[in-house]
Amino acid sequence: MYKIIASFLLISALSFAQEGSIAGRVTENGRPVPAATVIVVPSGITTATDEDGEFIIKQLQAGVYEIIVTSVGLQTNRQKITVVAGKMANLNFKMQEEGTELEEVVVTGTMKEMTRSESPIPVEIITPKLFKKNPTATLFEAMGMINGVQPQLNCSVCNTGDIHINGMEGPYTMILIDGMPIVSALSTVYGLNGIPNSIVERIEVVKGPGSSLYGSEAMGGIINVITKNPLKAPVFSADFFMTSWGELNFDTAMKFTAGKATGLFGVNYFNYSSRIDNNNDNFTDVTLQDRVSVFNKWNFDRKDGRIASIAGRYVYEDRWGGEMNWTPAFRGSDSIYGESIYTRRAELIGLYQLPVSERIFTQFSYNWHDQNSVYGTTPYMANQQVGFIQTYWDKQFGESHNFLLGAALRYTLYDDNTPATADIEGGNNPSKKTLPGIFIQDEWTITEKHKLLAGYRYDHDNDHGSVHSPRLAYKYSPNVNNTFRGSFGTGFRVVNLFTEDHAALTGAREVVIAEALDPERSYNLNLNYVLKIPTDNFIANLDFTGFYSYFTNKIVGDFDSDPNKIIYDNLKGHAVSRGVSLNAEIAFDFPLKIHAGTTYMDVYQMEDRGAGLERQVQLHAPEWSGTFVASYQLPNNYSVDLTGNWYGPMRLPILPHDYRPEYSPWFAIANVQFTKKFAYGLEFYGGMKNIFDFTPKDPLMRPFDPFDKTADDPVSNPNGYTFDTTYNYASLQGRRIFIGVRYNLL
C-alpha cells in the first residue's frame, strides 16, 4: 500500500516538474495598467492584471507560447516566451496609446491596408483615445483636434457648419464611412453629427486632392471614418456625459454573435433643450437639438478568410435656433424669427470579397436624406438619394508592383424647392446625375528605401463630359527615423450648389446664379518630412508638411456686391491654398505626453473684375491656427488632459459700412479634463470646456428686426443695415462644466 502511495506521489511530482509558470507586469508610461486582458496562445488561458498591473499564470506545460495583452485605448502587445519545466518566466509589457505610433494601419491614401510609415501618401489619424481627452457629442467637434482641420460654424442662429481642410470650404472635403462616400453633398453640413463615437475605430485624414481614387468632391481633402470590426470590438461599451449648460449625450455599443456572423449595434442620443441668451440679443446662443442615431454592422465568417460586411445607420434630428420666445407654432411666419431643421437620414454600406483566387472586392453604398427646413420665412425642402458601387482588383505582380484596378458608378437623385431643380418654365425638374468612372494605381517598391505610386482616374459626367484625374507620389526612407514624401494630384467637383452651401439657404439673402456653372478643378503639390527622435529621456515625432493647391473654375459666393444677395459665379481667374504645417508628438520617460501642431496658410483668389486680377482673401481661413493636447498620468490611475485649439484673425463676411471688424481677433478654446480609471473598464471623468470663456461679439446684425420690416427707415437705419446671420467664426457657447462615466466590457 505504501509503495502504491509513494509511486503516486512520485508520478505527481514528476508531472508537476513538467509544468512551469509565467509572471508579468503591464505598464503605460511607467504606470500600472489594471484589468488588462492577458491571453496565452495556443492554450487559450485568459486572465486579467490586478490593480498593480501584475498577473501570474501557473501550470503551463513546457513549450513556446505567445502572450497577448490588450486593454481599451491601448495598442495590443505581443511577446513570445519559452516556458521551462519547474521554473517561472518573467515578462514586462510596456503599452502605448492607440494612434500615437507611426506604424498605425491606414487605408485611405491608397485604398488598401498598410502601415502609416509605409504609405506614400501622408495620412493623419485621430482615434477614440485622443478625442476622449475632450469628450464631444459629435465627430464634427472632434475634428477640431486635428491640425489644419477646422470645424467652421457658418450660421449664428442654426449653428450649422462644415469641415475646412487647409482653409478650403466644406464642399471640397469628401467624407467617407469605411471608404464609402456615404456623406453626400446635401448632408456635408450634418453628416458628422450622429455617428456614435462608440463604433468608431479611427478617423483618417488626407489633405489634398484624392479624386484619382475617390472621384468627385475629393478636391481639398478626405475624411474617412473607419468603424470598428465587430470581431475586435468590446462586448459592451457605454459613455454618458452632461454639461452645466444642460447638454446630455449618451453613447453605447454592444457586440453579439449569430451563427457565423458577428454584429455590432450602436446608439447615440443627444439632447439640448436650454434656452440661453448670454449676449442679450434675444436669440438663442446655441441651437436646441434632439438627435438619435442607430448603427448596426455585421461581419461574416467566410471560407479562406474572405471579407464580407454590411452596415446601416439611421439618424433623426430636430434642431432650431432663433428668438427666445419662438415655438414651432411660429415656424415659417414673419412675427417671431426662427430657423428650424428636421433631418431624417438612412445609410447602407457593404463590402464583399468575391469567392475567387484573385483579390477582387465589391463595395456598395446607398443613402437617403430628407430635409425639412425653414429659415425665417424661407422654406427649404430637399430629398437626395445616392447609390454607389465599385469593384476593384488588388493584384501583386512580382515583389515590386502592387496594382489596383477598378470601376465605379455613382447615381444621384436630388430634388428641392429652390431654383436648383426648376426648369425653364418654372416647373419642378429633379436633378439626376450618373457618374461612371474607372481607375488604376500602381504602387512600385523600387528598393527598400524608395517607393513610387502612380494613379489615374477617368470619369464621365452627363453634364460636363470627360474628367481626367492623375496622381503621382514618391516616398524615400533612408532609415527608420527619416521619411520624405512628395505628391502631386488633381481633383474635381461637379456642380451641386444648393446642397452644399448653407449660406444660400438662410433666407437672409437672395440667391443669384450669374451663369451656367462649370465643374471645378484643383491641382495640388504636397511635400512631407517625418523625423523620429528617440532619446533616453523622450521619444519625439516631428511631421513637417508644405502644400500648394491651385483651383480653376472655382465657384464663389459674392457677399460684398449687394448686402441682400449672394451672387454665385465661376471665378474669372484662379484660387490658391498654400502653406506649411508642423505636428509634434513627444512622449517623455515620465508620464507626460504632448501633441501640438501649427499651420500657416495663405488662401486667396485672384479675380478679374474688369481692371486686371485682384486679390481677395478667402473667408474663414485664418493665416495661423493650431492645436494642442497635453496628458499627464497621476498616481492611483488618475490623469489630467489639457486640450484646445487656437486661431489667428480670419476674414469675415461684413455688410457695407459695417461697424463690426472685417477680421476676427486671435482666440483660443481650451479645455481641461480629469479622469479616474477603475478596474474592469470603468472610469469617471469631468472637467471644464472653454475655460477662457471666449465667445464672438456682435454675431447678428439688427437682431431686433430679423424680418427687415424697418430696414428701409433712413432715420433709424441710416446705413441701410439688414439682418444677417453669416458673421460668425466660433461658437457662442461659453464656459461650462462637464461630468461623465465610461464603461468597457472586453
mmCIF file with all atom_site columns, all heavy atoms in Angstrom, residues 181-187 345-348 365-369 384-388 410 413:
data_model
loop_
_atom_site.group_PDB
_atom_site.id
_atom_site.type_symbol
_atom_site.label_atom_id
_atom_site.label_alt_id
_atom_site.label_comp_id
_atom_site.label_asym_id
_atom_site.label_entity_id
_atom_site.label_seq_id
_atom_site.pdbx_PDB_ins_code
_atom_site.Cartn_x
_atom_site.Cartn_y
_atom_site.Cartn_z
_atom_site.occupancy
_atom_site.B_iso_or_equiv
_atom_site.pdbx_formal_charge
_atom_site.auth_seq_id
_atom_site.auth_comp_id
_atom_site.auth_asym_id
_atom_site.auth_atom_id
_atom_site.pdbx_PDB_model_num
ATOM 1   N N   . PRO A 1 181 ? -18.356 56.792 -50.018 1.00 0.00 ? 181 PRO A N   1
ATOM 2   C CA  . PRO A 1 181 ? -18.816 58.191 -49.992 1.00 0.00 ? 181 PRO A CA  1
ATOM 3   C C   . PRO A 1 181 ? -20.259 58.288 -49.517 1.00 0.00 ? 181 PRO A C   1
ATOM 4   O O   . PRO A 1 181 ? -21.170 58.598 -50.265 1.00 0.00 ? 181 PRO A O   1
ATOM 5   C CB  . PRO A 1 181 ? -18.670 58.618 -51.456 1.00 0.00 ? 181 PRO A CB  1
ATOM 6   C CG  . PRO A 1 181 ? -18.851 57.356 -52.232 1.00 0.00 ? 181 PRO A CG  1
ATOM 7   C CD  . PRO A 1 181 ? -18.245 56.269 -51.383 1.00 0.00 ? 181 PRO A CD  1
ATOM 8   N N   . ILE A 1 182 ? -20.446 58.030 -48.223 1.00 0.00 ? 182 ILE A N   1
ATOM 9   C CA  . ILE A 1 182 ? -21.797 57.912 -47.691 1.00 0.00 ? 182 ILE A CA  1
ATOM 10  C C   . ILE A 1 182 ? -22.372 59.266 -47.304 1.00 0.00 ? 182 ILE A C   1
ATOM 11  O O   . ILE A 1 182 ? -23.569 59.481 -47.313 1.00 0.00 ? 182 ILE A O   1
ATOM 12  C CB  . ILE A 1 182 ? -21.808 56.942 -46.482 1.00 0.00 ? 182 ILE A CB  1
ATOM 13  C CG1 . ILE A 1 182 ? -23.210 56.413 -46.226 1.00 0.00 ? 182 ILE A CG1 1
ATOM 14  C CG2 . ILE A 1 182 ? -21.205 57.573 -45.250 1.00 0.00 ? 182 ILE A CG2 1
ATOM 15  C CD1 . ILE A 1 182 ? -23.705 55.465 -47.267 1.00 0.00 ? 182 ILE A CD1 1
ATOM 16  N N   . VAL A 1 183 ? -21.513 60.195 -46.913 1.00 0.00 ? 183 VAL A N   1
ATOM 17  C CA  . VAL A 1 183 ? -21.981 61.520 -46.508 1.00 0.00 ? 183 VAL A CA  1
ATOM 18  C C   . VAL A 1 183 ? -21.965 62.403 -47.742 1.00 0.00 ? 183 VAL A C   1
ATOM 19  O O   . VAL A 1 183 ? -20.950 62.975 -48.107 1.00 0.00 ? 183 VAL A O   1
ATOM 20  C CB  . VAL A 1 183 ? -21.110 62.095 -45.379 1.00 0.00 ? 183 VAL A CB  1
ATOM 21  C CG1 . VAL A 1 183 ? -21.601 63.462 -44.960 1.00 0.00 ? 183 VAL A CG1 1
ATOM 22  C CG2 . VAL A 1 183 ? -21.121 61.149 -44.191 1.00 0.00 ? 183 VAL A CG2 1
ATOM 23  N N   . SER A 1 184 ? -23.094 62.495 -48.395 1.00 0.00 ? 184 SER A N   1
ATOM 24  C CA  . SER A 1 184 ? -23.186 63.182 -49.677 1.00 0.00 ? 184 SER A CA  1
ATOM 25  C C   . SER A 1 184 ? -23.310 64.679 -49.485 1.00 0.00 ? 184 SER A C   1
ATOM 26  O O   . SER A 1 184 ? -23.366 65.191 -48.376 1.00 0.00 ? 184 SER A O   1
ATOM 27  C CB  . SER A 1 184 ? -24.398 62.650 -50.448 1.00 0.00 ? 184 SER A CB  1
ATOM 28  O OG  . SER A 1 184 ? -25.561 62.776 -49.656 1.00 0.00 ? 184 SER A OG  1
ATOM 29  N N   . ALA A 1 185 ? -23.373 65.397 -50.601 1.00 0.00 ? 185 ALA A N   1
ATOM 30  C CA  . ALA A 1 185 ? -23.306 66.851 -50.579 1.00 0.00 ? 185 ALA A CA  1
ATOM 31  C C   . ALA A 1 185 ? -24.390 67.475 -49.708 1.00 0.00 ? 185 ALA A C   1
ATOM 32  O O   . ALA A 1 185 ? -24.138 68.408 -48.958 1.00 0.00 ? 185 ALA A O   1
ATOM 33  C CB  . ALA A 1 185 ? -23.411 67.386 -52.009 1.00 0.00 ? 185 ALA A CB  1
ATOM 34  N N   . LEU A 1 186 ? -25.597 66.963 -49.782 1.00 0.00 ? 186 LEU A N   1
ATOM 35  C CA  . LEU A 1 186 ? -26.695 67.554 -49.027 1.00 0.00 ? 186 LEU A CA  1
ATOM 36  C C   . LEU A 1 186 ? -26.431 67.528 -47.536 1.00 0.00 ? 186 LEU A C   1
ATOM 37  O O   . LEU A 1 186 ? -26.814 68.431 -46.803 1.00 0.00 ? 186 LEU A O   1
ATOM 38  C CB  . LEU A 1 186 ? -27.999 66.814 -49.334 1.00 0.00 ? 186 LEU A CB  1
ATOM 39  C CG  . LEU A 1 186 ? -29.250 67.277 -48.575 1.00 0.00 ? 186 LEU A CG  1
ATOM 40  C CD1 . LEU A 1 186 ? -29.559 68.721 -48.887 1.00 0.00 ? 186 LEU A CD1 1
ATOM 41  C CD2 . LEU A 1 186 ? -30.427 66.385 -48.907 1.00 0.00 ? 186 LEU A CD2 1
ATOM 42  N N   . SER A 1 187 ? -25.732 66.493 -47.077 1.00 0.00 ? 187 SER A N   1
ATOM 43  C CA  . SER A 1 187 ? -25.556 66.325 -45.639 1.00 0.00 ? 187 SER A CA  1
ATOM 44  C C   . SER A 1 187 ? -24.139 66.609 -45.174 1.00 0.00 ? 187 SER A C   1
ATOM 45  O O   . SER A 1 187 ? -23.761 66.224 -44.076 1.00 0.00 ? 187 SER A O   1
ATOM 46  C CB  . SER A 1 187 ? -25.938 64.900 -45.236 1.00 0.00 ? 187 SER A CB  1
ATOM 47  O OG  . SER A 1 187 ? -25.134 63.976 -45.925 1.00 0.00 ? 187 SER A OG  1
ATOM 48  N N   . ARG A 1 345 ? -32.319 60.592 -42.079 1.00 0.00 ? 345 ARG A N   1
ATOM 49  C CA  . ARG A 1 345 ? -31.257 60.082 -42.944 1.00 0.00 ? 345 ARG A CA  1
ATOM 50  C C   . ARG A 1 345 ? -31.057 58.585 -42.713 1.00 0.00 ? 345 ARG A C   1
ATOM 51  O O   . ARG A 1 345 ? -31.013 58.119 -41.577 1.00 0.00 ? 345 ARG A O   1
ATOM 52  C CB  . ARG A 1 345 ? -29.958 60.824 -42.671 1.00 0.00 ? 345 ARG A CB  1
ATOM 53  C CG  . ARG A 1 345 ? -28.797 60.337 -43.494 1.00 0.00 ? 345 ARG A CG  1
ATOM 54  C CD  . ARG A 1 345 ? -27.561 61.217 -43.301 1.00 0.00 ? 345 ARG A CD  1
ATOM 55  N NE  . ARG A 1 345 ? -26.454 60.700 -44.089 1.00 0.00 ? 345 ARG A NE  1
ATOM 56  C CZ  . ARG A 1 345 ? -26.289 60.915 -45.372 1.00 0.00 ? 345 ARG A CZ  1
ATOM 57  N NH1 . ARG A 1 345 ? -27.159 61.670 -46.018 1.00 0.00 ? 345 ARG A NH1 1
ATOM 58  N NH2 . ARG A 1 345 ? -25.269 60.405 -46.029 1.00 0.00 ? 345 ARG A NH2 1
ATOM 59  N N   . ALA A 1 346 ? -30.944 57.827 -43.818 1.00 0.00 ? 346 ALA A N   1
ATOM 60  C CA  . ALA A 1 346 ? -30.670 56.392 -43.740 1.00 0.00 ? 346 ALA A CA  1
ATOM 61  C C   . ALA A 1 346 ? -29.496 56.065 -44.660 1.00 0.00 ? 346 ALA A C   1
ATOM 62  O O   . ALA A 1 346 ? -29.377 56.629 -45.757 1.00 0.00 ? 346 ALA A O   1
ATOM 63  C CB  . ALA A 1 346 ? -31.902 55.583 -44.152 1.00 0.00 ? 346 ALA A CB  1
ATOM 64  N N   . GLU A 1 347 ? -28.637 55.150 -44.191 1.00 0.00 ? 347 GLU A N   1
ATOM 65  C CA  . GLU A 1 347 ? -27.448 54.786 -44.944 1.00 0.00 ? 347 GLU A CA  1
ATOM 66  C C   . GLU A 1 347 ? -27.261 53.272 -44.933 1.00 0.00 ? 347 GLU A C   1
ATOM 67  O O   . GLU A 1 347 ? -27.620 52.597 -43.956 1.00 0.00 ? 347 GLU A O   1
ATOM 68  C CB  . GLU A 1 347 ? -26.196 55.428 -44.328 1.00 0.00 ? 347 GLU A CB  1
ATOM 69  C CG  . GLU A 1 347 ? -26.247 56.936 -44.220 1.00 0.00 ? 347 GLU A CG  1
ATOM 70  C CD  . GLU A 1 347 ? -25.182 57.492 -43.312 1.00 0.00 ? 347 GLU A CD  1
ATOM 71  O OE1 . GLU A 1 347 ? -24.554 56.697 -42.571 1.00 0.00 ? 347 GLU A OE1 1
ATOM 72  O OE2 . GLU A 1 347 ? -24.987 58.720 -43.328 1.00 0.00 ? 347 GLU A OE2 1
ATOM 73  N N   . LEU A 1 348 ? -26.673 52.764 -45.995 1.00 0.00 ? 348 LEU A N   1
ATOM 74  C CA  . LEU A 1 348 ? -26.343 51.349 -46.088 1.00 0.00 ? 348 LEU A CA  1
ATOM 75  C C   . LEU A 1 348 ? -25.003 51.223 -46.800 1.00 0.00 ? 348 LEU A C   1
ATOM 76  O O   . LEU A 1 348 ? -24.809 51.825 -47.865 1.00 0.00 ? 348 LEU A O   1
ATOM 77  C CB  . LEU A 1 348 ? -27.423 50.586 -46.864 1.00 0.00 ? 348 LEU A CB  1
ATOM 78  C CG  . LEU A 1 348 ? -27.231 49.066 -46.994 1.00 0.00 ? 348 LEU A CG  1
ATOM 79  C CD1 . LEU A 1 348 ? -27.400 48.397 -45.644 1.00 0.00 ? 348 LEU A CD1 1
ATOM 80  C CD2 . LEU A 1 348 ? -28.222 48.488 -48.011 1.00 0.00 ? 348 LEU A CD2 1
ATOM 81  N N   . SER A 1 365 ? -22.788 51.378 -51.552 1.00 0.00 ? 365 SER A N   1
ATOM 82  C CA  . SER A 1 365 ? -23.398 52.221 -50.527 1.00 0.00 ? 365 SER A CA  1
ATOM 83  C C   . SER A 1 365 ? -24.662 52.856 -51.098 1.00 0.00 ? 365 SER A C   1
ATOM 84  O O   . SER A 1 365 ? -24.793 53.043 -52.314 1.00 0.00 ? 365 SER A O   1
ATOM 85  C CB  . SER A 1 365 ? -22.426 53.314 -50.054 1.00 0.00 ? 365 SER A CB  1
ATOM 86  O OG  . SER A 1 365 ? -22.164 54.246 -51.086 1.00 0.00 ? 365 SER A OG  1
ATOM 87  N N   . TYR A 1 366 ? -25.556 53.182 -50.196 1.00 0.00 ? 366 TYR A N   1
ATOM 88  C CA  . TYR A 1 366 ? -26.792 53.880 -50.564 1.00 0.00 ? 366 TYR A CA  1
ATOM 89  C C   . TYR A 1 366 ? -27.152 54.790 -49.405 1.00 0.00 ? 366 TYR A C   1
ATOM 90  O O   . TYR A 1 366 ? -27.043 54.410 -48.229 1.00 0.00 ? 366 TYR A O   1
ATOM 91  C CB  . TYR A 1 366 ? -27.931 52.895 -50.817 1.00 0.00 ? 366 TYR A CB  1
ATOM 92  C CG  . TYR A 1 366 ? -29.285 53.563 -50.934 1.00 0.00 ? 366 TYR A CG  1
ATOM 93  C CD1 . TYR A 1 366 ? -29.674 54.198 -52.119 1.00 0.00 ? 366 TYR A CD1 1
ATOM 94  C CD2 . TYR A 1 366 ? -30.168 53.581 -49.854 1.00 0.00 ? 366 TYR A CD2 1
ATOM 95  C CE1 . TYR A 1 366 ? -30.909 54.823 -52.222 1.00 0.00 ? 366 TYR A CE1 1
ATOM 96  C CE2 . TYR A 1 366 ? -31.407 54.200 -49.948 1.00 0.00 ? 366 TYR A CE2 1
ATOM 97  C CZ  . TYR A 1 366 ? -31.767 54.819 -51.136 1.00 0.00 ? 366 TYR A CZ  1
ATOM 98  O OH  . TYR A 1 366 ? -32.983 55.450 -51.227 1.00 0.00 ? 366 TYR A OH  1
ATOM 99  N N   . ASN A 1 367 ? -27.546 56.022 -49.717 1.00 0.00 ? 367 ASN A N   1
ATOM 100 C CA  . ASN A 1 367 ? -28.039 56.887 -48.652 1.00 0.00 ? 367 ASN A CA  1
ATOM 101 C C   . ASN A 1 367 ? -29.253 57.657 -49.129 1.00 0.00 ? 367 ASN A C   1
ATOM 102 O O   . ASN A 1 367 ? -29.374 58.023 -50.301 1.00 0.00 ? 367 ASN A O   1
ATOM 103 C CB  . ASN A 1 367 ? -26.939 57.818 -48.130 1.00 0.00 ? 367 ASN A CB  1
ATOM 104 C CG  . ASN A 1 367 ? -26.510 58.854 -49.131 1.00 0.00 ? 367 ASN A CG  1
ATOM 105 O OD1 . ASN A 1 367 ? -27.213 59.830 -49.383 1.00 0.00 ? 367 ASN A OD1 1
ATOM 106 N ND2 . ASN A 1 367 ? -25.323 58.666 -49.717 1.00 0.00 ? 367 ASN A ND2 1
ATOM 107 N N   . TRP A 1 368 ? -30.137 57.870 -48.183 1.00 0.00 ? 368 TRP A N   1
ATOM 108 C CA  . TRP A 1 368 ? -31.382 58.619 -48.396 1.00 0.00 ? 368 TRP A CA  1
ATOM 109 C C   . TRP A 1 368 ? -31.424 59.718 -47.357 1.00 0.00 ? 368 TRP A C   1
ATOM 110 O O   . TRP A 1 368 ? -31.268 59.465 -46.165 1.00 0.00 ? 368 TRP A O   1
ATOM 111 C CB  . TRP A 1 368 ? -32.571 57.687 -48.260 1.00 0.00 ? 368 TRP A CB  1
ATOM 112 C CG  . TRP A 1 368 ? -33.915 58.378 -48.243 1.00 0.00 ? 368 TRP A CG  1
ATOM 113 C CD1 . TRP A 1 368 ? -34.661 58.739 -49.316 1.00 0.00 ? 368 TRP A CD1 1
ATOM 114 C CD2 . TRP A 1 368 ? -34.669 58.766 -47.082 1.00 0.00 ? 368 TRP A CD2 1
ATOM 115 N NE1 . TRP A 1 368 ? -35.830 59.335 -48.912 1.00 0.00 ? 368 TRP A NE1 1
ATOM 116 C CE2 . TRP A 1 368 ? -35.863 59.368 -47.534 1.00 0.00 ? 368 TRP A CE2 1
ATOM 117 C CE3 . TRP A 1 368 ? -34.453 58.663 -45.713 1.00 0.00 ? 368 TRP A CE3 1
ATOM 118 C CZ2 . TRP A 1 368 ? -36.833 59.852 -46.667 1.00 0.00 ? 368 TRP A CZ2 1
ATOM 119 C CZ3 . TRP A 1 368 ? -35.415 59.154 -44.842 1.00 0.00 ? 368 TRP A CZ3 1
ATOM 120 C CH2 . TRP A 1 368 ? -36.589 59.743 -45.328 1.00 0.00 ? 368 TRP A CH2 1
ATOM 121 N N   . HIS A 1 369 ? -31.586 60.952 -47.815 1.00 0.00 ? 369 HIS A N   1
ATOM 122 C CA  . HIS A 1 369 ? -31.554 62.099 -46.904 1.00 0.00 ? 369 HIS A CA  1
ATOM 123 C C   . HIS A 1 369 ? -32.763 62.975 -47.200 1.00 0.00 ? 369 HIS A C   1
ATOM 124 O O   . HIS A 1 369 ? -32.959 63.429 -48.327 1.00 0.00 ? 369 HIS A O   1
ATOM 125 C CB  . HIS A 1 369 ? -30.265 62.896 -47.106 1.00 0.00 ? 369 HIS A CB  1
ATOM 126 C CG  . HIS A 1 369 ? -30.070 63.985 -46.090 1.00 0.00 ? 369 HIS A CG  1
ATOM 127 N ND1 . HIS A 1 369 ? -29.111 63.912 -45.101 1.00 0.00 ? 369 HIS A ND1 1
ATOM 128 C CD2 . HIS A 1 369 ? -30.691 65.166 -45.908 1.00 0.00 ? 369 HIS A CD2 1
ATOM 129 C CE1 . HIS A 1 369 ? -29.162 65.000 -44.359 1.00 0.00 ? 369 HIS A CE1 1
ATOM 130 N NE2 . HIS A 1 369 ? -30.109 65.781 -44.833 1.00 0.00 ? 369 HIS A NE2 1
ATOM 131 N N   . GLN A 1 384 ? -32.558 63.763 -51.170 1.00 0.00 ? 384 GLN A N   1
ATOM 132 C CA  . GLN A 1 384 ? -31.454 63.282 -52.007 1.00 0.00 ? 384 GLN A CA  1
ATOM 133 C C   . GLN A 1 384 ? -31.249 61.797 -51.781 1.00 0.00 ? 384 GLN A C   1
ATOM 134 O O   . GLN A 1 384 ? -31.306 61.309 -50.649 1.00 0.00 ? 384 GLN A O   1
ATOM 135 C CB  . GLN A 1 384 ? -30.158 64.023 -51.687 1.00 0.00 ? 384 GLN A CB  1
ATOM 136 C CG  . GLN A 1 384 ? -29.008 63.640 -52.611 1.00 0.00 ? 384 GLN A CG  1
ATOM 137 C CD  . GLN A 1 384 ? -27.762 64.463 -52.339 1.00 0.00 ? 384 GLN A CD  1
ATOM 138 O OE1 . GLN A 1 384 ? -27.290 64.533 -51.218 1.00 0.00 ? 384 GLN A OE1 1
ATOM 139 N NE2 . GLN A 1 384 ? -27.242 65.111 -53.363 1.00 0.00 ? 384 GLN A NE2 1
ATOM 140 N N   . GLN A 1 385 ? -31.012 61.076 -52.873 1.00 0.00 ? 385 GLN A N   1
ATOM 141 C CA  . GLN A 1 385 ? -30.669 59.669 -52.813 1.00 0.00 ? 385 GLN A CA  1
ATOM 142 C C   . GLN A 1 385 ? -29.410 59.458 -53.644 1.00 0.00 ? 385 GLN A C   1
ATOM 143 O O   . GLN A 1 385 ? -29.306 59.956 -54.767 1.00 0.00 ? 385 GLN A O   1
ATOM 144 C CB  . GLN A 1 385 ? -31.805 58.799 -53.356 1.00 0.00 ? 385 GLN A CB  1
ATOM 145 C CG  . GLN A 1 385 ? -33.111 58.938 -52.580 1.00 0.00 ? 385 GLN A CG  1
ATOM 146 C CD  . GLN A 1 385 ? -34.195 58.041 -53.128 1.00 0.00 ? 385 GLN A CD  1
ATOM 147 O OE1 . GLN A 1 385 ? -34.072 56.823 -53.123 1.00 0.00 ? 385 GLN A OE1 1
ATOM 148 N NE2 . GLN A 1 385 ? -35.277 58.652 -53.603 1.00 0.00 ? 385 GLN A NE2 1
ATOM 149 N N   . VAL A 1 386 ? -28.468 58.739 -53.062 1.00 0.00 ? 386 VAL A N   1
ATOM 150 C CA  . VAL A 1 386 ? -27.202 58.480 -53.744 1.00 0.00 ? 386 VAL A CA  1
ATOM 151 C C   . VAL A 1 386 ? -26.906 56.994 -53.678 1.00 0.00 ? 386 VAL A C   1
ATOM 152 O O   . VAL A 1 386 ? -26.862 56.406 -52.582 1.00 0.00 ? 386 VAL A O   1
ATOM 153 C CB  . VAL A 1 386 ? -26.034 59.267 -53.116 1.00 0.00 ? 386 VAL A CB  1
ATOM 154 C CG1 . VAL A 1 386 ? -24.732 58.976 -53.870 1.00 0.00 ? 386 VAL A CG1 1
ATOM 155 C CG2 . VAL A 1 386 ? -26.317 60.763 -53.127 1.00 0.00 ? 386 VAL A CG2 1
ATOM 156 N N   . GLY A 1 387 ? -26.718 56.379 -54.835 1.00 0.00 ? 387 GLY A N   1
ATOM 157 C CA  . GLY A 1 387 ? -26.300 54.986 -54.910 1.00 0.00 ? 387 GLY A CA  1
ATOM 158 C C   . GLY A 1 387 ? -24.895 54.906 -55.479 1.00 0.00 ? 387 GLY A C   1
ATOM 159 O O   . GLY A 1 387 ? -24.546 55.631 -56.418 1.00 0.00 ? 387 GLY A O   1
ATOM 160 N N   . PHE A 1 388 ? -24.066 54.060 -54.889 1.00 0.00 ? 388 PHE A N   1
ATOM 161 C CA  . PHE A 1 388 ? -22.667 53.958 -55.308 1.00 0.00 ? 388 PHE A CA  1
ATOM 162 C C   . PHE A 1 388 ? -22.245 52.496 -55.281 1.00 0.00 ? 388 PHE A C   1
ATOM 163 O O   . PHE A 1 388 ? -22.549 51.759 -54.337 1.00 0.00 ? 388 PHE A O   1
ATOM 164 C CB  . PHE A 1 388 ? -21.781 54.780 -54.367 1.00 0.00 ? 388 PHE A CB  1
ATOM 165 C CG  . PHE A 1 388 ? -20.314 54.737 -54.703 1.00 0.00 ? 388 PHE A CG  1
ATOM 166 C CD1 . PHE A 1 388 ? -19.780 55.624 -55.620 1.00 0.00 ? 388 PHE A CD1 1
ATOM 167 C CD2 . PHE A 1 388 ? -19.465 53.823 -54.100 1.00 0.00 ? 388 PHE A CD2 1
ATOM 168 C CE1 . PHE A 1 388 ? -18.425 55.589 -55.939 1.00 0.00 ? 388 PHE A CE1 1
ATOM 169 C CE2 . PHE A 1 388 ? -18.120 53.772 -54.410 1.00 0.00 ? 388 PHE A CE2 1
ATOM 170 C CZ  . PHE A 1 388 ? -17.598 54.665 -55.324 1.00 0.00 ? 388 PHE A CZ  1
ATOM 171 N N   . ARG A 1 410 ? -21.682 56.041 -59.787 1.00 0.00 ? 410 ARG A N   1
ATOM 172 C CA  . ARG A 1 410 ? -22.386 56.817 -58.768 1.00 0.00 ? 410 ARG A CA  1
ATOM 173 C C   . ARG A 1 410 ? -23.618 57.454 -59.401 1.00 0.00 ? 410 ARG A C   1
ATOM 174 O O   . ARG A 1 410 ? -23.526 58.075 -60.470 1.00 0.00 ? 410 ARG A O   1
ATOM 175 C CB  . ARG A 1 410 ? -21.466 57.885 -58.198 1.00 0.00 ? 410 ARG A CB  1
ATOM 176 C CG  . ARG A 1 410 ? -22.093 58.731 -57.089 1.00 0.00 ? 410 ARG A CG  1
ATOM 177 C CD  . ARG A 1 410 ? -21.049 59.632 -56.472 1.00 0.00 ? 410 ARG A CD  1
ATOM 178 N NE  . ARG A 1 410 ? -21.587 60.473 -55.426 1.00 0.00 ? 410 ARG A NE  1
ATOM 179 C CZ  . ARG A 1 410 ? -20.853 61.252 -54.643 1.00 0.00 ? 410 ARG A CZ  1
ATOM 180 N NH1 . ARG A 1 410 ? -19.544 61.279 -54.808 1.00 0.00 ? 410 ARG A NH1 1
ATOM 181 N NH2 . ARG A 1 410 ? -21.418 61.994 -53.718 1.00 0.00 ? 410 ARG A NH2 1
ATOM 182 N N   . LEU A 1 413 ? -29.839 61.351 -57.173 1.00 0.00 ? 413 LEU A N   1
ATOM 183 C CA  . LEU A 1 413 ? -31.151 61.921 -57.443 1.00 0.00 ? 413 LEU A CA  1
ATOM 184 C C   . LEU A 1 413 ? -31.393 63.002 -56.393 1.00 0.00 ? 413 LEU A C   1
ATOM 185 O O   . LEU A 1 413 ? -31.366 62.729 -55.192 1.00 0.00 ? 413 LEU A O   1
ATOM 186 C CB  . LEU A 1 413 ? -32.241 60.852 -57.355 1.00 0.00 ? 413 LEU A CB  1
ATOM 187 C CG  . LEU A 1 413 ? -33.691 61.357 -57.447 1.00 0.00 ? 413 LEU A CG  1
ATOM 188 C CD1 . LEU A 1 413 ? -33.948 61.997 -58.807 1.00 0.00 ? 413 LEU A CD1 1
ATOM 189 C CD2 . LEU A 1 413 ? -34.671 60.220 -57.189 1.00 0.00 ? 413 LEU A CD2 1
#
